[in-house]
Amino acid sequence: MKNAVHLVGEPTLPEVKMHLIPPTAPAHGTVVSNGLCMKGKSASFVRHVCIDVSGTEMAGNFRSGQSFGVLPPGLDAFGKPEKVRLYSIASPTWGEDGHGRVLATTPKRLISERSPQRKSDPLSDHRLFLGVCSNYLCDLQPGDSVSFSGPAGKRFVLPEDPSQHDFLFLATGTGIAPFRGMAMELLQGPPADSPWRADWKKCTSRIELVMGSPYTTDLLYDDLFKELSLHHSNFHYHPVISRELRNDGGKGEYTHQFLERRLGDHYDSMLRNPRTLIYICGLAGMQMGLFRILGEKGLGTGYLTVDEVIADVPPREWTEEHLKRRVRPTHRCMIEVY
Ligand code: FAD
Ligand code: NAP
């Protein structure tokens, strides 16, 4: 039984399929396309990779917001098969093709200098570090086979009836992936020949997408979001750049700082409205700044529960430890960070 006790504004989430394909018995898909998806020339490489999953349990059985697993070939440093890595599905529920047979994802190459991960790691080791699976995925060519598992995740999905809610989507970097699928699902709809077409209704609720990137050139799917905001007056797209000056001459900022700056003229009433759901995806820790602001401005009701232990601590004095252990998101605040 789901949602036996239903609080004001709490979303009813759809039943979703999960773990139809386990990593121990992966299915095989075929890469359909693989192209860069940043706005401009950047030091990072992020790709939009489309994979045909026809004939597998995954076909027609995933939802926007869910993830799937990729099993890179080869053995790890201990001689064991490489473990599965999760990637967000960047497609709407009907996939890239309208029939749920082709899904897209948004891998970013992990390219770095080595840095200590454990106390025992030497500080002096700064050789090149290449992530296994992200680079494997980004290297794939159309026609290549890829082993996968999934789908995974049941909380980070759109509610059964989106018209009952307004949406605040907060992304950093590749955390934008699920919001591509969700925005297409809410606003664009499936193609005419799609089995999802008959039941689809355009969502007229307010949808705010706040996307955090280091530089303008790092923005992902920027053309799509601009296009959607041009054609749908209920959709608002806000790129937030951390390492460049703003148009008004102000300093670069993070997503929560943007929200705080625009609370008065834009977000205060939205956040106080029980219709609103917050979805956060991207860098681990990006939710902390938002939680502090919600607490400080008296906007946490409905999105946060605060442990009695810190009931007397003013939100501006919440420590990292408090935020990690004592402040919890409610069902109106969906978080997918790592
Ligand atoms: P790995 O080979 O696994 O290396 C990463 C590991 O190496 C880290 O765990 C860390 O322990 C260590 N490490 C990292 N940096 C260094 C360094 N500089 N020096 C030494 N060691 C280091 N990623 C995306 O790009 N797009 C997505 O849409 C996406 N969606 C995700 C959805 C979910 C639900 C989750 C949990 C993760 C998602 N990820 C996504 C992340 C993805 O799963 C991988 O973690 C990421 O691609 C890195 O994997 P890799 O195999 O390339 O790196
Ligand atoms: P990126 O391009 O480097 O962008 C991250 C942006 O967030 C930068 O502007 C960064 O600013 C800013 N930032 C840093 N700390 C922040 C904070 N505390 N609060 C708000 N913003 C902050 O990002 P990326 O390399 O793609 O990384 C995105 C992360 O999302 C990765 O960790 C990835 O694994 C994760 N991800 C998660 C999921 C999921 O869980 N489903 C899906 C996809 C991606 P500065 O760099 O200027 O400080």
Side-chain angles (χ1 to χ4, degrees):
M1 197 169 74
K2 53 179 180 172
N3 291 317
V5 180
H6 210 87
L7 302 173
V8 177
E10 193 173 311
T12 302
L13 298 183
E15 299 282 347
V16 297
K17 308 237 171 69
M18 291 216 294
H19 312 307
L20 296 173
I21 305 167
T24 45
H28 304 282
T30 305
V31 174
V32 176
S33 61
N34 182 347
L36 291 169
C37 59
M38 301 99 61
K39 182 177 169 69
K41 279 194 177 169
S42 158
S44 306
F45 298 95
V46 186
R47 292 189 156 264
H48 180 69
V49 180
C50 295
I51 301 170
D52 187 338
V53 297
S54 303
T56 75
E57 282 289 305
M58 191 82 167
N61 285 325
F62 57 85
R63 277 197 174 251
S64 58
Q66 286 191 294
S67 309
F68 72 113
V70 174
L71 289 112
L75 303 178
D76 66 16
F78 305 101
K80 298 233 171 81
E82 281 292 349
K83 59 182 186 327
V84 66
R85 270 76 159 180
L86 289 175
Y87 290 89
S88 294
I89 293 172
S91 308
T93 296
W94 43 84
E96 299 298 294
D97 59 327
H99 294 262
R101 297 180 198 128
V102 177
L103 61 77
T105 188
T106 317
K108 175 176 182 173
R109 287 187 187 275
L110 172 50
I111 307 174
S112 187
E113 286 196 344
R114 273 169 204 268
S115 60
Q117 305 290 304
R118 285 166 294 270
K119 280 199 176 132
S120 55
D121 289 348
L123 286 169
S124 55
D125 186 359
H126 58 266
R127 288 171 300 153
L128 180 65
F129 182 86
L130 293 176
V132 172
C133 195
S134 58
N135 285 294
Y136 161 72
L137 254 183
C138 286
D139 283 352
L140 289 171
Q141 295 282 344
D144 284 347
S145 175
V146 55
S147 300
F148 68 90
S149 60
K154 62 177 179 184
R155 279 269 299 134
F156 202 84
V157 292
L158 289 171
E160 241 169 41
D161 183 359
S163 73
Q164 298 299 309
H165 300 277
D166 293 319
F167 300 91
L168 175 57
F169 294 153
L170 300 176
T172 46
T174 52
I176 195 73
F179 300 130
R180 174 186 182 266
M182 289 179 180
M184 291 167 81
E185 185 154 335
L186 293 169
L187 299 165
Q188 264 185 346
D193 65 342
S194 167
W196 278 268
R197 186 77 203 181
D199 291 334
W200 181 78
K201 272 199 218 86
K202 176 177 141 63
C203 179
T204 54
S205 307
R206 178 171 172 185
I207 307 165
E208 301 273 337
L209 170 63
V210 182
M211 162 59 168
S213 278
Y215 299 100
T216 306
T217 48
D218 291 313
L219 289 168
L220 304 173
Y221 304 121
D222 182 66
D223 285 348
L224 169 79
F225 295 124
K226 277 193 180 136
E227 176 86 12
L228 287 175
S229 59
L230 210 62
H231 291 104
H232 304 276
S233 57
N234 56 323
F235 177 68
H236 306 275
Y237 168 53
H238 308 278
V240 173
I241 307 299
S242 57
R243 303 187 196 172
E244 293 171 8
L245 287 181
R246 304 196 307 265
N247 286 342
D248 64 6
K251 279 202 314 197
E253 57 194 355
Y254 286 168
T255 45
H256 61 274
Q257 294 166 329
F258 165 83
L259 276 185
E260 185 174 20
R261 184 166 58 82
R262 297 293 306 275
L263 264 184
D265 64 333
H266 213 62
Y267 291 108
D268 193 277
S269 58
M270 179 178 191
L271 287 166
R272 287 187 198 282
N273 190 333
R275 284 173 53 87
T276 300
L277 302 179
I278 304 177
Y279 290 69
I280 303 171
C281 188
L283 279 182
M286 69 175 284
Q287 74 277 26
M288 305 292 189
L290 177 75
F291 286 5
R292 249 191 214 115
I293 286 167
L294 292 176
E296 266 182 51
K297 307 287 178 190
L299 294 164
T301 314
Y303 307 108
L304 304 177
T305 54
V306 180
D307 195 319
E308 277 180 14
V309 175
I310 61 162
D312 294 335
V313 182
R316 91 185 71 85
E317 289 169 27
W318 284 345
T319 61
E320 294 280 304
E321 188 63 11
H322 290 152
L323 287 160
K324 269 191 201 136
R325 310 220 178 283
R326 307 286 178 195
V327 184
R328 298 253 171 249
T330 68
H331 289 294
R332 285 178 55 206
C333 188
M334 286 44 150
I335 302 187
E336 187 100 307
V337 293
Y338 56 89

